[in-house]
Amino acid sequence: LEGFIASMIETGKYSSRSEVIHAALRDMEDHERRIATLEVIRQSLEDVGTGHTHTAKPAITAIAEELGLDLNR
């Protein structure tokens, strides 16, 4: 791990260990958000497949919230 951090700094993409760690944490956060969104979609598809359907608005709202989007623009 330390070697990876050092190589990222050596490439010039990042100027410090802290920048590498912050970028990694942002990527982790984005990844977790995407996983949660996929879970909402998977559950929605499962519900449709079993006949437990819902109106589109709550599903769209839930997905938008997971993505951090504001639908009230």
Side-chain angles (χ1 to χ4, degrees):
L1 188 58
E2 291 299 325
F4 176 76
I5 292 172
S7 71
M8 291 289 98
I9 295 169
E10 288 171 11
T11 65
K13 187 173 181 180
Y14 301 97
S15 62
S16 70
R17 185 176 192 278
S18 178
E19 282 185 17
V20 175
I21 293 169
H22 284 265
L25 290 172
R26 281 190 300 274
D27 287 348
M28 274 180 49
E29 182 179 33
D30 184 53
H31 176 76
E32 291 300 319
R33 188 177 300 122
R34 289 172 189 260
I35 294 296
T37 300
L38 289 173
E39 177 57 26
V40 169
I41 292 169
R42 185 202 63 75
Q43 184 62 52
S44 296
L45 290 172
E46 185 178 305
D47 289 347
V48 168
T50 59
H52 296 98
T53 58
H54 306 281
T55 62
K57 187 171 181 172
I60 292 170
T61 300
I63 291 169
E65 286 175 3
E66 290 292 329
L67 293 172
L69 302 174
D70 180 13
L71 297 178
N72 298 315
R73 291 193 261 159

